[in-house]
Each structure stands twice: as C-alpha cells, then as structure tokens.
Amino acid sequence: ERGGNNSFTHEALTLKYKLDNQFELVFVVGFQKILTLTYVDKLIDDVHKEFRDKYRNEFQQKGTLGLLNGTFDFKDDFMRLLRDAEESSKVRAPTVMKTFEQSLKSQKTVKCMIETRGEKPKEKVKNKKNKGSKKEGTEAVAAPGKASAGDKQPSATGEREELTKDEILQKNREEFFKRHMKAGEKSSKSPKPEAQKEKGKKPRVWDLGNSNAKVLDYSNSATNGSAEACPVEEFDPDTALGDRNREPGRLYDLEYESDDEAEEEKVIQNPSKPSAKKGGLGGMFGMLKGLVGSKSLTREDMDPVLEKMKDHLIAKNVAAEIAVQLCESVAKKLEGKVMGTFTTVTSTVKQALQEALVQILQPQRRVDVLRDVMDAQRHRRPYVVTFCGVNGVGKSTNLAKISFWLIENGFSVLIAACDTFRAGAVEQLRTHTRRLNALHPPESHGGRTMVQLYEKGYGKDAAGIAMEAISYARNQGFDVVLVDTAGRMQDNAPLMTALAKLIAVNAPDLVLFVGEALVGNEAVDQLVKFNKALADHSMAQTPRLIDGIVLTKFDTIDDKVGAAISMTYITSKPIVFVGTGQTYCDLRSLNAKAVVAALMKA
C-alpha cells in the first residue's frame, strides 16, 4: 500500500526495491545510508531485466514452485552488472561550461546589436509623442460626444499602425480603467447624512435569554475548586448515556450503512437506456468494450482510471499528497500484471485500491488498552495515557467518554487536569467527574470511588502536575491515569516544547493524538509537526512519538471519511477510538472495511 515510495531506511541501511508483477518477484538492493551511490537505480533495473530474461521460460513452465525449488546461478551475471554500473558512474565527465563560440550570443553580429539598440529610443520617443498628443486631444474634446468620437478614429488608427499589439492592448486597458475610475468617483460623491448616530453600544437582549444578570453571576461561589463542596448536579442519565439497551463496557465497531442493493439496481438500469437506442449489438459491444482479456496491464491503461480515483479520494477529504501517493502505489502494484479474461481495468484498479486502503487502516501494531491496563495492574502501577492535539478538537470530551468506558470495564480512573491555560478547562473536567460518579456511585462498586479529578488550578507547570498525579494514583491504587493537556497549534514552538517535556518527564504508556474528522490536508500537517516537535524537543536518545489516534466528530462528516486515511498513512499508527456523538456511550472502535466502503461510495 506504500509502493509509491521505492526506498526504505532502517538504522544505517537504505533499501531500494522494484516489483515485477508479471512473475511476482521483488528485487531489493541494500547499501550504507551514508553513501551516495548514483548507480543504484541503473543496477536494480539491469539486474531485473537480466534475471527475468534469463529465467523467463522456467517461470512460465514451473510457476511459483519452480521459484521455490529452483537454483539460480546468477552470481557471475550480478558481478558483471555491478562492475558495469560502477564504471558507467565513473565515465560521466563533469559538466563543462560552454565556450563563447558555442553560445547563442556569438551568433549575433555587431551590426544587428547596434541596430536594435538604436531603434529602442526612437520607439520610446514616438510613444511619448503619441501619449502627449493623446492627452491634448482628450483635454480639447470634452463637451461634444459624437463629434469627438468621429475625430478620434483616424488618429487612433494612425497610432495603432505604429504601435505593437502589446502596446495597443496596454493603452486600451489604461483607457478602460480611466473611464471606470471616473464613473466610480461620480457615484461615490454622495451627500453626508445630517443626523449623526448616537454614540455608545447598547447591551443586546436575547429573546430566549435571562435578562437578570445576577442569575449568571458565579463570582461569589464559596466552593473554591474542591469537588466535595460542589453541589451534586441533577441530570437525566438517559441524556448522558444515550442507548440504554447496549452491553455495558463493550466498545462497538463503527458501522456504515451501505446502499449496495440500490447501487446494483442503478448499475443495471443505466446501461439499458443507451442500449435501447443503439439496438442489441450496441449494448453487447458496450459491455465488452472495457474488458481486458489475457494481457498485462500497462500504465497507459490505468492512467485514466487512476486520475478519476485520485479526484474521488480528494473529494472524500483524503489529503491531496496522500491521494497521489496511493494511486502511484496501486499503479506500481498492478503494472505488468496479467489480468483475467472477463475483468475490466476499472474493477481491477478499484479492487487493488480497496485492499490498499484496508491495509493502511489496519497497522501492524494494534493498541489493546484493556490488555495493557491489566498488564500494568499485575506490576502494581497505574497505566498512563496522555491526550494531545490542537485547539477545539474534543480532547476533554473524549477523555470523559474513555473514562466512562474504562469504569464500565471495572477500572478506576484518575483524571489529571494539566490544561492550566484555557479558562474553564478544570471546571469542565470537574463537571464530567461529578456526572461519571453519579452514573457509577461508590455504592455500586463496594465503596470504591471509580473516578476522581486531580487538579492544581491554573498557571501551573503541566509536567509537574502530571508527575504528582501519577504518584498520587500509585499511592491510592488507581488503575488508569488520563492526562488532559492544553490545545496547541502545531506551529507554536514554546507550547510544543512544553508538551515534549511533559511526555519525556512522565513517560506515559500511551500518547494519543486527538484529531477531528473534518480536516483534510491539515491533518497531515498537524501530525507531521507534532511528531517532529516531540522528536526535536525530547531529551531522550530515542524520542517518544505519537502511539495512536482518537478521531473525533465522526458523526458530522457523512461519507467524507478521508481524514482517517490521511492520519494513519502519515504516521502508520492505529486509530484507537472514534468519537461519534455527544453522550458518554458515543465511542467506537474503527472498522476498516466500513470506512473503506464509505470512502469508495460514489
């Protein structure tokens, strides 16, 4: 699925590879990363051609078993090709500057140079004269309209004979702008209003609002941030939970209702309309037109289909750069592949693209939070999760959803309020803590408080608060610590340094990037710069980067799910949670096939 990039770097080695789709071979060359070998591409192409041509018959007769069981005496050929490639790189002489005789300037004679230089001032003088005469004409002819137009015509034709086309165009533009400027000045001269408006701003009164300001005044509250002193908030559990018939503690898969049957009906009905006009033969030939037959696919066959696929992906919110790379990798995967008799290029390319997208959404390392929490329990330490992301993506809201999911699975949670910057951030988490404790009171869990907020107010060092919260959780026996951080833009260097410090000092088990599903190209920029900032500002030799993604506001995008592809492609990290609504139960796990089905929908 990443075949568009034909090189891979691992520690001190660089690997370059080439695919032979006809015989299903992969040719790989490895060399030291520090070396700049200019002949590597030539070498791998030559080896590919030589090896394929030498053993073509054996591949065709024996197939894959012949490849596995066969012995290939290719060492001498390889050494010869390597020597040729090395010599070809040495033979190339450095580029030499052209001599004066080889340049275009030497072909010009002195006479022609003098003539061109002599003509220019004459033209300039003529132009100045013409401009002067034009000004005099416009000043003289101001009152009559028709007569002046008749007088101007012969002079204008005389000027145009002397001027070039570009100069005529420029003059016409100037005249056009002058006319419009004069018209604008006339219309702009409007009489000043006699009555001046009253100074000062009146307070706005909302129709449905409360006009009494005392009701909204919370400044005399005596609670001072302590959760115990806060009054218990009355709320309807149905509004917080949503679906009451769900299975507690289960993280449901993301669902997508595909209209396959409706699409099939449309596909059957559409070809029948033109075939009725053209007759029976026309419909039959139309059906057979796109079939490939038993031949190998070329880039020319795939280019029109890939161009449509690329535009389709971009329209579905996939970042433009990633859409191009995906189509390039599909082209490399299919080029030279022999197709079946009754398959079309479009269906083959679409199938390959779908497989690539599913592979991208299912990265190699799967994050299993519940398993990791139980593993941390065995070691008698809390499992620490840090949330980071840009402003307004829903970090605190989705942190509360994840807290609810963990509580329903029997784990106690400590929320660390490390957003000491945004006004109301601590109060927001305090409200969530009260509601979660109301839904899961200590009486239901043997007198154990399942969720608690650790806060130190505003303007404090976030890394220090996180460290204290983890120490507190270890002493009090909490299973999970969820660290909420302030939203920050990826270009803000001081805030990115502070985030890198928090992660480096506290070494969380999981670093989750919270991103919204509404973004397109911005998703790539955010993730790349967050990872780069964490790497640059980390003090460790192997810096800690983002481990997973929380994709929020997924219920707002319909089938434009391209942000999921962009984020996983650029980081190779899994989407751990998907936020799909406003209640605590609106948390899902990613279903790769459902997302790809939505993405490929026309």
Side-chain angles (χ1 to χ4, degrees), residues 235-250 252 404 408 435-436 438-441 444 583-586 588:
F235 69 99
D236 183 12
D238 290 337
T239 59
L241 293 178
D243 186 11
R244 301 286 288 183
N245 299 321
R246 61 185 179 76
E247 184 181 336
R250 183 180 171 187
Y252 288 88
F404 178 76
E408 289 212 323
R435 290 195 168 195
L436 290 169
L439 290 168
H440 286 276
S444 305
T583 67
Y584 288 132
C585 297
D586 290 327
R588 299 285 183 270

PDB file of all heavy atoms in Angstrom, residues 235-250 252 404 408 435-436 438-441 444 583-586 588:
ATOM      1  N   PHE A 235     -29.223  15.586  36.722  1.00  0.00           N
ATOM      2  CA  PHE A 235     -29.330  15.469  35.269  1.00  0.00           C
ATOM      3  C   PHE A 235     -29.956  14.129  34.938  1.00  0.00           C
ATOM      4  O   PHE A 235     -29.980  13.196  35.751  1.00  0.00           O
ATOM      5  CB  PHE A 235     -27.954  15.603  34.600  1.00  0.00           C
ATOM      6  CG  PHE A 235     -27.034  14.447  34.858  1.00  0.00           C
ATOM      7  CD1 PHE A 235     -26.868  13.443  33.923  1.00  0.00           C
ATOM      8  CD2 PHE A 235     -26.329  14.360  36.051  1.00  0.00           C
ATOM      9  CE1 PHE A 235     -26.035  12.382  34.171  1.00  0.00           C
ATOM     10  CE2 PHE A 235     -25.484  13.292  36.296  1.00  0.00           C
ATOM     11  CZ  PHE A 235     -25.333  12.299  35.355  1.00  0.00           C
ATOM     12  N   ASP A 236     -30.461  14.028  33.743  1.00  0.00           N
ATOM     13  CA  ASP A 236     -31.131  12.811  33.289  1.00  0.00           C
ATOM     14  C   ASP A 236     -30.082  11.828  32.778  1.00  0.00           C
ATOM     15  O   ASP A 236     -29.348  12.145  31.834  1.00  0.00           O
ATOM     16  CB  ASP A 236     -32.123  13.171  32.171  1.00  0.00           C
ATOM     17  CG  ASP A 236     -32.919  11.965  31.709  1.00  0.00           C
ATOM     18  OD1 ASP A 236     -32.857  10.934  32.411  1.00  0.00           O
ATOM     19  OD2 ASP A 236     -33.592  12.066  30.673  1.00  0.00           O
ATOM     20  N   PRO A 237     -29.979  10.624  33.353  1.00  0.00           N
ATOM     21  CA  PRO A 237     -28.968   9.658  32.883  1.00  0.00           C
ATOM     22  C   PRO A 237     -29.155   9.257  31.426  1.00  0.00           C
ATOM     23  O   PRO A 237     -28.196   8.923  30.741  1.00  0.00           O
ATOM     24  CB  PRO A 237     -29.171   8.450  33.814  1.00  0.00           C
ATOM     25  CG  PRO A 237     -29.875   8.982  35.009  1.00  0.00           C
ATOM     26  CD  PRO A 237     -30.702  10.131  34.531  1.00  0.00           C
ATOM     27  N   ASP A 238     -30.396   9.307  30.933  1.00  0.00           N
ATOM     28  CA  ASP A 238     -30.642   8.924  29.536  1.00  0.00           C
ATOM     29  C   ASP A 238     -29.923   9.863  28.566  1.00  0.00           C
ATOM     30  O   ASP A 238     -29.446   9.441  27.520  1.00  0.00           O
ATOM     31  CB  ASP A 238     -32.143   8.932  29.238  1.00  0.00           C
ATOM     32  CG  ASP A 238     -32.854   7.793  29.960  1.00  0.00           C
ATOM     33  OD1 ASP A 238     -32.171   6.801  30.284  1.00  0.00           O
ATOM     34  OD2 ASP A 238     -34.067   7.895  30.191  1.00  0.00           O
ATOM     35  N   THR A 239     -29.875  11.159  28.917  1.00  0.00           N
ATOM     36  CA  THR A 239     -29.191  12.111  28.035  1.00  0.00           C
ATOM     37  C   THR A 239     -27.685  11.890  28.042  1.00  0.00           C
ATOM     38  O   THR A 239     -26.999  12.151  27.064  1.00  0.00           O
ATOM     39  CB  THR A 239     -29.495  13.557  28.457  1.00  0.00           C
ATOM     40  OG1 THR A 239     -29.056  13.735  29.804  1.00  0.00           O
ATOM     41  CG2 THR A 239     -30.964  13.865  28.337  1.00  0.00           C
ATOM     42  N   ALA A 240     -27.140  11.411  29.158  1.00  0.00           N
ATOM     43  CA  ALA A 240     -25.692  11.180  29.255  1.00  0.00           C
ATOM     44  C   ALA A 240     -25.288   9.851  28.646  1.00  0.00           C
ATOM     45  O   ALA A 240     -24.177   9.714  28.139  1.00  0.00           O
ATOM     46  CB  ALA A 240     -25.253  11.229  30.712  1.00  0.00           C
ATOM     47  N   LEU A 241     -26.191   8.868  28.676  1.00  0.00           N
ATOM     48  CA  LEU A 241     -25.837   7.527  28.217  1.00  0.00           C
ATOM     49  C   LEU A 241     -26.324   7.230  26.810  1.00  0.00           C
ATOM     50  O   LEU A 241     -25.709   6.433  26.108  1.00  0.00           O
ATOM     51  CB  LEU A 241     -26.425   6.477  29.174  1.00  0.00           C
ATOM     52  CG  LEU A 241     -25.835   6.455  30.592  1.00  0.00           C
ATOM     53  CD1 LEU A 241     -26.540   5.424  31.432  1.00  0.00           C
ATOM     54  CD2 LEU A 241     -24.347   6.161  30.536  1.00  0.00           C
ATOM     55  N   GLY A 242     -27.405   7.855  26.379  1.00  0.00           N
ATOM     56  CA  GLY A 242     -27.909   7.572  25.040  1.00  0.00           C
ATOM     57  C   GLY A 242     -28.652   6.240  25.024  1.00  0.00           C
ATOM     58  O   GLY A 242     -29.749   6.112  25.550  1.00  0.00           O
ATOM     59  N   ASP A 243     -28.069   5.219  24.434  1.00  0.00           N
ATOM     60  CA  ASP A 243     -28.690   3.908  24.278  1.00  0.00           C
ATOM     61  C   ASP A 243     -28.614   3.136  25.596  1.00  0.00           C
ATOM     62  O   ASP A 243     -27.530   2.761  26.046  1.00  0.00           O
ATOM     63  CB  ASP A 243     -27.962   3.131  23.167  1.00  0.00           C
ATOM     64  CG  ASP A 243     -28.653   1.811  22.870  1.00  0.00           C
ATOM     65  OD1 ASP A 243     -29.777   1.623  23.362  1.00  0.00           O
ATOM     66  OD2 ASP A 243     -28.062   0.981  22.150  1.00  0.00           O
ATOM     67  N   ARG A 244     -29.755   2.851  26.196  1.00  0.00           N
ATOM     68  CA  ARG A 244     -29.806   2.121  27.470  1.00  0.00           C
ATOM     69  C   ARG A 244     -29.747   0.605  27.255  1.00  0.00           C
ATOM     70  O   ARG A 244     -29.512  -0.147  28.208  1.00  0.00           O
ATOM     71  CB  ARG A 244     -31.082   2.469  28.232  1.00  0.00           C
ATOM     72  CG  ARG A 244     -31.243   3.933  28.567  1.00  0.00           C
ATOM     73  CD  ARG A 244     -30.345   4.387  29.688  1.00  0.00           C
ATOM     74  NE  ARG A 244     -30.763   3.878  30.973  1.00  0.00           N
ATOM     75  CZ  ARG A 244     -30.174   4.172  32.122  1.00  0.00           C
ATOM     76  NH1 ARG A 244     -29.120   4.970  32.130  1.00  0.00           N
ATOM     77  NH2 ARG A 244     -30.591   3.667  33.254  1.00  0.00           N
ATOM     78  N   ASN A 245     -29.987   0.132  26.026  1.00  0.00           N
ATOM     79  CA  ASN A 245     -30.025  -1.309  25.753  1.00  0.00           C
ATOM     80  C   ASN A 245     -28.667  -1.879  25.368  1.00  0.00           C
ATOM     81  O   ASN A 245     -28.561  -3.045  25.022  1.00  0.00           O
ATOM     82  CB  ASN A 245     -31.021  -1.591  24.617  1.00  0.00           C
ATOM     83  CG  ASN A 245     -32.423  -1.162  24.990  1.00  0.00           C
ATOM     84  OD1 ASN A 245     -32.848  -1.326  26.129  1.00  0.00           O
ATOM     85  ND2 ASN A 245     -33.135  -0.588  24.027  1.00  0.00           N
ATOM     86  N   ARG A 246     -27.642  -1.058  25.402  1.00  0.00           N
ATOM     87  CA  ARG A 246     -26.320  -1.539  24.994  1.00  0.00           C
ATOM     88  C   ARG A 246     -25.716  -2.431  26.065  1.00  0.00           C
ATOM     89  O   ARG A 246     -26.161  -2.445  27.218  1.00  0.00           O
ATOM     90  CB  ARG A 246     -25.393  -0.345  24.760  1.00  0.00           C
ATOM     91  CG  ARG A 246     -25.218   0.436  25.991  1.00  0.00           C
ATOM     92  CD  ARG A 246     -24.435   1.697  25.893  1.00  0.00           C
ATOM     93  NE  ARG A 246     -24.426   2.294  27.207  1.00  0.00           N
ATOM     94  CZ  ARG A 246     -23.685   1.870  28.210  1.00  0.00           C
ATOM     95  NH1 ARG A 246     -22.873   0.860  28.046  1.00  0.00           N
ATOM     96  NH2 ARG A 246     -23.752   2.424  29.388  1.00  0.00           N
ATOM     97  N   GLU A 247     -24.681  -3.164  25.678  1.00  0.00           N
ATOM     98  CA  GLU A 247     -23.961  -4.030  26.626  1.00  0.00           C
ATOM     99  C   GLU A 247     -22.920  -3.193  27.363  1.00  0.00           C
ATOM    100  O   GLU A 247     -22.066  -2.561  26.736  1.00  0.00           O
ATOM    101  CB  GLU A 247     -23.271  -5.154  25.850  1.00  0.00           C
ATOM    102  CG  GLU A 247     -22.584  -6.166  26.724  1.00  0.00           C
ATOM    103  CD  GLU A 247     -21.885  -7.240  25.898  1.00  0.00           C
ATOM    104  OE1 GLU A 247     -22.292  -7.453  24.734  1.00  0.00           O
ATOM    105  OE2 GLU A 247     -20.928  -7.829  26.408  1.00  0.00           O
ATOM    106  N   PRO A 248     -22.947  -3.135  28.703  1.00  0.00           N
ATOM    107  CA  PRO A 248     -22.005  -2.269  29.444  1.00  0.00           C
ATOM    108  C   PRO A 248     -20.550  -2.678  29.214  1.00  0.00           C
ATOM    109  O   PRO A 248     -20.211  -3.863  29.225  1.00  0.00           O
ATOM    110  CB  PRO A 248     -22.404  -2.485  30.907  1.00  0.00           C
ATOM    111  CG  PRO A 248     -23.791  -3.025  30.863  1.00  0.00           C
ATOM    112  CD  PRO A 248     -23.893  -3.801  29.598  1.00  0.00           C
ATOM    113  N   GLY A 249     -19.704  -1.672  29.004  1.00  0.00           N
ATOM    114  CA  GLY A 249     -18.265  -1.910  28.870  1.00  0.00           C
ATOM    115  C   GLY A 249     -17.810  -2.363  27.501  1.00  0.00           C
ATOM    116  O   GLY A 249     -16.613  -2.515  27.267  1.00  0.00           O
ATOM    117  N   ARG A 250     -18.737  -2.561  26.565  1.00  0.00           N
ATOM    118  CA  ARG A 250     -18.360  -3.030  25.229  1.00  0.00           C
ATOM    119  C   ARG A 250     -18.100  -1.844  24.310  1.00  0.00           C
ATOM    120  O   ARG A 250     -18.874  -0.885  24.294  1.00  0.00           O
ATOM    121  CB  ARG A 250     -19.463  -3.913  24.646  1.00  0.00           C
ATOM    122  CG  ARG A 250     -19.101  -4.483  23.287  1.00  0.00           C
ATOM    123  CD  ARG A 250     -20.209  -5.361  22.745  1.00  0.00           C
ATOM    124  NE  ARG A 250     -19.940  -5.729  21.365  1.00  0.00           N
ATOM    125  CZ  ARG A 250     -20.789  -6.383  20.578  1.00  0.00           C
ATOM    126  NH1 ARG A 250     -21.970  -6.759  21.056  1.00  0.00           N
ATOM    127  NH2 ARG A 250     -20.480  -6.676  19.330  1.00  0.00           N
ATOM    128  N   TYR A 252     -18.252  -0.857  20.730  1.00  0.00           N
ATOM    129  CA  TYR A 252     -18.830  -1.333  19.474  1.00  0.00           C
ATOM    130  C   TYR A 252     -18.014  -0.845  18.285  1.00  0.00           C
ATOM    131  O   TYR A 252     -17.369   0.201  18.343  1.00  0.00           O
ATOM    132  CB  TYR A 252     -20.280  -0.844  19.344  1.00  0.00           C
ATOM    133  CG  TYR A 252     -21.247  -1.540  20.278  1.00  0.00           C
ATOM    134  CD1 TYR A 252     -21.467  -1.055  21.561  1.00  0.00           C
ATOM    135  CD2 TYR A 252     -21.926  -2.684  19.883  1.00  0.00           C
ATOM    136  CE1 TYR A 252     -22.338  -1.684  22.431  1.00  0.00           C
ATOM    137  CE2 TYR A 252     -22.805  -3.325  20.740  1.00  0.00           C
ATOM    138  CZ  TYR A 252     -23.011  -2.822  22.015  1.00  0.00           C
ATOM    139  OH  TYR A 252     -23.868  -3.464  22.868  1.00  0.00           O
ATOM    140  N   PHE A 404     -15.498   6.787  31.037  1.00  0.00           N
ATOM    141  CA  PHE A 404     -16.737   6.033  31.246  1.00  0.00           C
ATOM    142  C   PHE A 404     -16.574   4.589  30.771  1.00  0.00           C
ATOM    143  O   PHE A 404     -17.017   3.645  31.458  1.00  0.00           O
ATOM    144  CB  PHE A 404     -17.880   6.730  30.490  1.00  0.00           C
ATOM    145  CG  PHE A 404     -19.193   6.020  30.578  1.00  0.00           C
ATOM    146  CD1 PHE A 404     -19.960   6.077  31.736  1.00  0.00           C
ATOM    147  CD2 PHE A 404     -19.673   5.282  29.510  1.00  0.00           C
ATOM    148  CE1 PHE A 404     -21.175   5.415  31.824  1.00  0.00           C
ATOM    149  CE2 PHE A 404     -20.887   4.617  29.588  1.00  0.00           C
ATOM    150  CZ  PHE A 404     -21.639   4.681  30.746  1.00  0.00           C
ATOM    151  N   GLU A 408     -16.763   1.230  33.185  1.00  0.00           N
ATOM    152  CA  GLU A 408     -17.691   0.125  32.928  1.00  0.00           C
ATOM    153  C   GLU A 408     -16.963  -1.207  32.799  1.00  0.00           C
ATOM    154  O   GLU A 408     -17.576  -2.266  32.934  1.00  0.00           O
ATOM    155  CB  GLU A 408     -18.503   0.409  31.665  1.00  0.00           C
ATOM    156  CG  GLU A 408     -19.517   1.523  31.839  1.00  0.00           C
ATOM    157  CD  GLU A 408     -20.753   1.324  31.009  1.00  0.00           C
ATOM    158  OE1 GLU A 408     -20.609   0.835  29.868  1.00  0.00           O
ATOM    159  OE2 GLU A 408     -21.853   1.632  31.487  1.00  0.00           O
ATOM    160  N   ARG A 435     -20.577  13.908  37.029  1.00  0.00           N
ATOM    161  CA  ARG A 435     -21.573  13.114  36.284  1.00  0.00           C
ATOM    162  C   ARG A 435     -21.187  11.635  36.243  1.00  0.00           C
ATOM    163  O   ARG A 435     -22.045  10.762  36.367  1.00  0.00           O
ATOM    164  CB  ARG A 435     -21.703  13.665  34.863  1.00  0.00           C
ATOM    165  CG  ARG A 435     -22.368  15.020  34.822  1.00  0.00           C
ATOM    166  CD  ARG A 435     -22.818  15.377  33.427  1.00  0.00           C
ATOM    167  NE  ARG A 435     -23.703  16.527  33.433  1.00  0.00           N
ATOM    168  CZ  ARG A 435     -24.467  16.892  32.412  1.00  0.00           C
ATOM    169  NH1 ARG A 435     -24.432  16.183  31.296  1.00  0.00           N
ATOM    170  NH2 ARG A 435     -25.246  17.940  32.483  1.00  0.00           N
ATOM    171  N   LEU A 436     -19.916  11.357  36.048  1.00  0.00           N
ATOM    172  CA  LEU A 436     -19.470   9.958  35.998  1.00  0.00           C
ATOM    173  C   LEU A 436     -19.646   9.291  37.361  1.00  0.00           C
ATOM    174  O   LEU A 436     -20.016   8.105  37.445  1.00  0.00           O
ATOM    175  CB  LEU A 436     -18.003   9.892  35.552  1.00  0.00           C
ATOM    176  CG  LEU A 436     -17.736  10.252  34.082  1.00  0.00           C
ATOM    177  CD1 LEU A 436     -16.244  10.413  33.836  1.00  0.00           C
ATOM    178  CD2 LEU A 436     -18.308   9.206  33.151  1.00  0.00           C
ATOM    179  N   ALA A 438     -21.957  10.117  39.473  1.00  0.00           N
ATOM    180  CA  ALA A 438     -23.403   9.930  39.641  1.00  0.00           C
ATOM    181  C   ALA A 438     -23.876   8.684  38.891  1.00  0.00           C
ATOM    182  O   ALA A 438     -24.767   7.968  39.360  1.00  0.00           O
ATOM    183  CB  ALA A 438     -24.145  11.169  39.139  1.00  0.00           C
ATOM    184  N   LEU A 439     -23.287   8.425  37.716  1.00  0.00           N
ATOM    185  CA  LEU A 439     -23.649   7.235  36.936  1.00  0.00           C
ATOM    186  C   LEU A 439     -23.093   5.958  37.565  1.00  0.00           C
ATOM    187  O   LEU A 439     -23.713   4.893  37.484  1.00  0.00           O
ATOM    188  CB  LEU A 439     -23.133   7.379  35.497  1.00  0.00           C
ATOM    189  CG  LEU A 439     -23.827   8.427  34.637  1.00  0.00           C
ATOM    190  CD1 LEU A 439     -23.044   8.676  33.354  1.00  0.00           C
ATOM    191  CD2 LEU A 439     -25.249   7.985  34.303  1.00  0.00           C
ATOM    192  N   HIS A 440     -21.893   6.054  38.154  1.00  0.00           N
ATOM    193  CA  HIS A 440     -21.257   4.909  38.805  1.00  0.00           C
ATOM    194  C   HIS A 440     -20.880   5.306  40.234  1.00  0.00           C
ATOM    195  O   HIS A 440     -19.718   5.573  40.528  1.00  0.00           O
ATOM    196  CB  HIS A 440     -20.010   4.471  38.020  1.00  0.00           C
ATOM    197  CG  HIS A 440     -20.337   3.770  36.747  1.00  0.00           C
ATOM    198  ND1 HIS A 440     -20.625   2.427  36.708  1.00  0.00           N
ATOM    199  CD2 HIS A 440     -20.444   4.223  35.475  1.00  0.00           C
ATOM    200  CE1 HIS A 440     -20.892   2.085  35.452  1.00  0.00           C
ATOM    201  NE2 HIS A 440     -20.777   3.145  34.688  1.00  0.00           N
ATOM    202  N   PRO A 441     -21.865   5.349  41.152  1.00  0.00           N
ATOM    203  CA  PRO A 441     -21.568   5.772  42.524  1.00  0.00           C
ATOM    204  C   PRO A 441     -20.725   4.740  43.262  1.00  0.00           C
ATOM    205  O   PRO A 441     -20.691   3.562  42.881  1.00  0.00           O
ATOM    206  CB  PRO A 441     -22.966   5.904  43.151  1.00  0.00           C
ATOM    207  CG  PRO A 441     -23.850   5.038  42.322  1.00  0.00           C
ATOM    208  CD  PRO A 441     -23.283   5.036  40.948  1.00  0.00           C
ATOM    209  N   SER A 444     -22.140   1.253  44.202  1.00  0.00           N
ATOM    210  CA  SER A 444     -22.234   0.177  43.214  1.00  0.00           C
ATOM    211  C   SER A 444     -20.916  -0.567  43.040  1.00  0.00           C
ATOM    212  O   SER A 444     -20.882  -1.596  42.353  1.00  0.00           O
ATOM    213  CB  SER A 444     -22.665   0.762  41.858  1.00  0.00           C
ATOM    214  OG  SER A 444     -23.863   1.479  41.985  1.00  0.00           O
ATOM    215  N   THR A 583     -22.970  11.859  23.774  1.00  0.00           N
ATOM    216  CA  THR A 583     -23.168  11.125  25.027  1.00  0.00           C
ATOM    217  C   THR A 583     -21.925  10.304  25.355  1.00  0.00           C
ATOM    218  O   THR A 583     -21.057  10.088  24.513  1.00  0.00           O
ATOM    219  CB  THR A 583     -24.387  10.193  24.929  1.00  0.00           C
ATOM    220  OG1 THR A 583     -24.096   9.153  23.985  1.00  0.00           O
ATOM    221  CG2 THR A 583     -25.625  10.952  24.474  1.00  0.00           C
ATOM    222  N   TYR A 584     -21.884   9.809  26.605  1.00  0.00           N
ATOM    223  CA  TYR A 584     -20.722   9.028  27.047  1.00  0.00           C
ATOM    224  C   TYR A 584     -20.595   7.698  26.295  1.00  0.00           C
ATOM    225  O   TYR A 584     -19.508   7.122  26.244  1.00  0.00           O
ATOM    226  CB  TYR A 584     -20.828   8.751  28.556  1.00  0.00           C
ATOM    227  CG  TYR A 584     -20.599   9.963  29.415  1.00  0.00           C
ATOM    228  CD1 TYR A 584     -21.467  10.275  30.453  1.00  0.00           C
ATOM    229  CD2 TYR A 584     -19.516  10.812  29.202  1.00  0.00           C
ATOM    230  CE1 TYR A 584     -21.266  11.390  31.257  1.00  0.00           C
ATOM    231  CE2 TYR A 584     -19.308  11.927  29.988  1.00  0.00           C
ATOM    232  CZ  TYR A 584     -20.191  12.219  31.010  1.00  0.00           C
ATOM    233  OH  TYR A 584     -19.985  13.322  31.786  1.00  0.00           O
ATOM    234  N   CYS A 585     -21.698   7.221  25.759  1.00  0.00           N
ATOM    235  CA  CYS A 585     -21.664   5.934  25.033  1.00  0.00           C
ATOM    236  C   CYS A 585     -21.247   6.090  23.580  1.00  0.00           C
ATOM    237  O   CYS A 585     -21.094   5.076  22.882  1.00  0.00           O
ATOM    238  CB  CYS A 585     -23.035   5.277  25.086  1.00  0.00           C
ATOM    239  SG  CYS A 585     -23.527   4.874  26.747  1.00  0.00           S
ATOM    240  N   ASP A 586     -21.093   7.310  23.109  1.00  0.00           N
ATOM    241  CA  ASP A 586     -20.775   7.537  21.691  1.00  0.00           C
ATOM    242  C   ASP A 586     -19.272   7.404  21.445  1.00  0.00           C
ATOM    243  O   ASP A 586     -18.590   8.357  21.050  1.00  0.00           O
ATOM    244  CB  ASP A 586     -21.275   8.912  21.242  1.00  0.00           C
ATOM    245  CG  ASP A 586     -22.783   8.962  21.178  1.00  0.00           C
ATOM    246  OD1 ASP A 586     -23.394   7.934  20.865  1.00  0.00           O
ATOM    247  OD2 ASP A 586     -23.363  10.028  21.463  1.00  0.00           O
ATOM    248  N   ARG A 588     -16.552   4.517  19.652  1.00  0.00           N
ATOM    249  CA  ARG A 588     -16.495   3.318  18.813  1.00  0.00           C
ATOM    250  C   ARG A 588     -15.049   2.942  18.527  1.00  0.00           C
ATOM    251  O   ARG A 588     -14.142   3.772  18.630  1.00  0.00           O
ATOM    252  CB  ARG A 588     -17.219   3.565  17.479  1.00  0.00           C
ATOM    253  CG  ARG A 588     -18.692   3.904  17.608  1.00  0.00           C
ATOM    254  CD  ARG A 588     -19.529   2.681  17.936  1.00  0.00           C
ATOM    255  NE  ARG A 588     -20.951   3.002  17.982  1.00  0.00           N
ATOM    256  CZ  ARG A 588     -21.597   3.396  19.068  1.00  0.00           C
ATOM    257  NH1 ARG A 588     -20.928   3.556  20.204  1.00  0.00           N
ATOM    258  NH2 ARG A 588     -22.889   3.650  19.033  1.00  0.00           N
TER     259      ARG A 588
END
